[in-house]
Amino acid sequence: EITSLLSLYGGQFNNQQEIRVNSPFWILNIPSEEMARGLMKRTVCAKSMFELWGHGRSAEELYTSLKSYPVEKMLPYLQSDSTYKIRIHTFNKTLTQAEKIKKIDALEFLPFNGKVNLKSPEHVFWILEDYGMDPNNVPEKPLDVYFGRWIADGQRELIESYSVKKRHFIGNTSMDACLSFIMANHGRVKPNDIVFDPFVGTGGLLISSAHFGAYVYGTDIDYNTIHGLGKASRKNQKWRGPDENIRANLRQYGLEEYYLDALVSDSSKPIWRKGMLFDAVITDPPYGIREATRRTGSQKETIKSGERSTENHIVISSSYHLSDIFFDLLKFAAEYLVMGGRLVYWLPIYRPEYTEEIIPRHPCLKLISNCEQMLSSHTSRRLITMEKVKEFKDQDHNSYSLDGQYMPYKGHNSFREKYFSGVTKRIAKEEKDNQK
């Protein structure tokens, strides 16, 4: 998420920093405070950002680093007519109040000329200490110590304010609010973008994009979900109410002006004319466990089901294999994304058999990131982010990648078909076992 936002707002990771894989503190190079605040207005992963004045492996190294920090950069925040306070945050260790005061007093060599104000200071300074990630093996002294001026906090309160528990319209697989905002940030959604979800469901992913000022659109094959009809997913509620729909969800958060529409449509048969381009495609495809994988069929095909909605709308649907879903999704993104636009989606995997080659590829799309969310000891899903780097041409229409070699799609003969069949069955079995 942070890497995507840095590419959107400017900045990069500090090349000289030795980043431990699980370190809770990162050092970034960001050109301006304005850019830093812009990044923090978006992130739900980062807690706070500080202007780094000093850093060391010990208290002594920190003091040496602070003494070498340019005084002219400090002075604007240390004036006699200003107020300030110093706070301490320790990761993986709790300090007594006496220990905290001792550490604060040790910074008396800094030229603080203002008055201390613990309630509403103009400037807040932080001492940050990292005691590692192992709660059973906490070192006596910190591994890293930082001192800096607080710039801004992240947007973690969005997780609670947009919680699915409080949402007007939900489904069986409504996306968690935190993950929804992370996906929007992976997609680098910005004001006035047009964001599309081809498996829109109850529109949870549209809400996060609309919050960041994008116009949102979606399609889904489920007539009842799009129109807010049929059985309810909420506990102790049998049928959906008259105003349970996607538009009502965006209205609930004051985002209705960003809602374009949601249509009943089969994602395997795109309805868009040539030249209809989206800035981002952000979606959570159905895995065939809690949500069926379906596409429109005909009487000539092997019919899986004929479903009747509450308004006598009958859908003949046939099976839609998981590997075909991802192939069609990549093909759609390659054709309808703007250049530089991003595709963000979830890919279910069976961990013991997972390899990088399983990830679907397309010659027009570049893999940007591949992040794992653990579901159980054997199953997980990976958040895949891809960026359009090549214009779509006719010869790319049926191309996909197998071990890095692009070739015509082989459909049911591909090894991915067998793999994803196994994934769906294993995840379904684990869910049934968990329910028991």
Side-chain angles (χ1 to χ4, degrees):
E1 186 209 44
I2 299 298
T3 303
S4 294
L5 292 176
L6 285 173
S7 69
L8 185 61
Y9 286 95
Q12 60 184 10
F13 284 94
N14 191 317
N15 293 329
Q16 298 177 348
Q17 179 190 15
E18 181 185 347
I19 301 178
R20 298 195 309 279
V21 174
N22 293 319
S23 174
F25 301 102
W26 290 349
I27 299 178
L28 310 176
N29 289 328
I30 299 180
S32 70
E33 187 170 319
E34 182 182 1
M35 290 182 179
R37 291 184 184 278
L39 189 152
M40 296 307 288
K41 287 180 180 178
R42 293 287 302 261
T43 176
V44 292
C45 288
K47 185 175 181 180
S48 302
M49 184 175 286
F50 310 87
E51 180 183 59
L52 186 62
W53 286 16
H55 167 226
R57 301 284 182 179
S58 63
E60 292 71 24
E61 283 188 20
L62 173 64
Y63 303 150
T64 302
S65 176
L66 282 170
K67 290 173 183 177
S68 64
Y69 190 74
V71 177
E72 61 272 17
K73 291 185 177 182
M74 295 184 181
L75 290 179
Y77 311 102
L78 308 178
Q79 298 297 320
S80 58
D81 59 348
S82 65
T83 58
Y84 73 96
K85 75 173 178 179
I86 299 175
R87 301 189 65 177
I88 295 180
H89 174 74
T90 54
F91 189 87
N92 199 31
K93 188 172 185 177
T94 302
L95 300 180
T96 65
Q97 189 63 22
E99 289 174 321
K100 291 181 180 180
I101 293 174
K102 183 178 179 180
K103 290 176 183 291
I104 292 173
D105 289 343
L107 296 173
E108 61 183 2
F109 63 86
L110 291 175
F112 287 106
N113 297 316
K115 295 181 180 180
V116 174
N117 185 330
L118 299 181
K119 291 187 177 180
S120 57
E122 293 178 54
H123 310 297
V124 183
F125 302 92
W126 285 74
I127 299 171
L128 307 167
E129 296 188 341
D130 181 7
Y131 288 87
M133 301 292 291
D134 186 358
N136 299 316
N137 185 26
V138 181
E140 183 178 344
K141 294 184 177 181
L143 304 174
D144 283 284
V145 188
Y146 308 85
F147 180 85
R149 178 176 65 91
W150 175 82
I151 298 293
D153 288 333
Q155 302 300 307
R156 292 190 176 188
E157 73 277 1
L158 294 177
I159 299 171
E160 178 63 25
S161 59
Y162 282 86
S163 172
V164 175
K165 295 178 182 178
K166 304 174 183 177
R167 193 164 298 167
H168 186 66
F169 178 46
I170 62 170
N172 294 333
T173 57
S174 292
M175 182 61 65
D176 171 80
C178 179
L179 295 177
S180 179
F181 280 103
I182 288 174
M183 292 176 74
N185 284 331
H186 274 242
R188 299 193 300 189
V189 174
K190 57 187 182 299
N192 298 320
D193 277 357
I194 297 181
V195 177
F196 178 66
D197 183 352
F199 304 97
V200 70
T202 57
L205 296 180
L206 302 187
I207 293 172
S208 56
S209 294
H211 174 84
F212 293 133
Y215 293 94
V216 294
Y217 213 105
T219 60
D220 201 285
I221 197 172
D222 192 322
Y223 181 94
N224 286 343
T225 300
I226 290 294
H227 290 280
L229 306 171
K231 294 182 179 179
S233 298
R234 203 181 302 275
K235 189 178 180 181
N236 301 324
Q237 181 181 341
K238 189 172 182 180
W239 301 100
R240 288 171 176 149
D243 193 34
E244 284 192 54
N245 51 54
I246 297 173
R247 181 183 292 276
N249 274 352
L250 280 103
R251 186 187 305 125
Q252 176 183 353
Y253 301 110
L255 302 172
E256 188 177 1
E257 63 182 297
Y258 297 109
Y259 179 60
L260 297 179
D261 209 344
L263 304 178
V264 179
S265 173
D266 180 357
S267 64
S268 70
K269 301 177 178 64
I271 59 177
W272 310 104
R273 60 177 170 81
K274 301 295 182 182
M276 177 62 76
L277 301 178
F278 301 101
D279 296 286
V281 175
I282 300 176
T283 192
D284 181 29
Y287 311 142
I289 303 159
R290 285 180 292 171
E291 294 288 355
T293 54
R294 297 185 291 124
R295 60 180 167 188
T296 52
S298 68
Q299 300 291 351
K300 294 180 180 179
E301 295 176 311
T302 302
I303 296 174
K304 181 181 178 181
S305 64
E307 298 185 358
R308 182 183 296 272
S309 79
T310 55
E311 292 187 357
N312 296 321
H313 179 85
I314 299 176
V315 176
I316 302 297
S317 62
S318 60
S319 61
Y320 192 13
H321 200 279
L322 202 57
S323 60
D324 292 333
I325 288 178
F326 294 117
F327 166 69
D328 289 339
L329 178 62
L330 264 65
K331 183 173 64 175
F332 175 87
E335 184 170 2
Y336 291 98
L337 275 176
V338 299
M339 187 62 67
R342 288 193 167 186
L343 165 66
V344 184
Y345 70 97
W346 288 101
L347 181 75
I349 64 148
Y350 182 63
R351 301 184 77 238
E353 297 178 5
Y354 169 76
T355 63
E356 287 282 335
E357 288 74 24
I358 291 299
I359 300 172
R361 304 292 180 98
H362 193 280
C364 297
L365 302 173
K366 176 184 177 183
L367 180 65
I368 299 296
S369 66
N370 174 6
C371 309
E372 184 178 30
Q373 182 196 21
M374 294 283 292
L375 300 177
S376 71
S377 59
H378 290 89
T379 60
S380 66
R381 58 179 181 175
R382 305 191 82 93
L383 183 59
I384 306 299
T385 303
M386 309 184 87
E387 186 173 310
K388 185 172 179 178
V389 295
K390 175 189 168 188
E391 288 290 355
F392 185 87
K393 298 180 180 179
D394 291 339
Q395 58 264 35
D396 299 320
H397 194 267
N398 289 314
S399 297
Y400 85 116
S401 170
L402 177 66
D403 300 330
Q405 300 296 319
Y406 293 103
M407 61 190 70
Y409 181 61
K410 295 182 181 178
H412 295 278
N413 294 323
S414 75
F415 83 109
R416 285 196 185 91
E417 167 131 359
K418 297 177 182 178
Y419 174 83
F420 286 121
S421 290
V423 168
T424 305
K425 291 176 182 177
R426 289 182 177 98
I427 295 178
K429 183 179 183 301
E430 288 204 10
E431 284 201 352
K432 289 180 181 178
D433 292 343
N434 292 336
Q435 288 174 356
K436 291 179 181 179

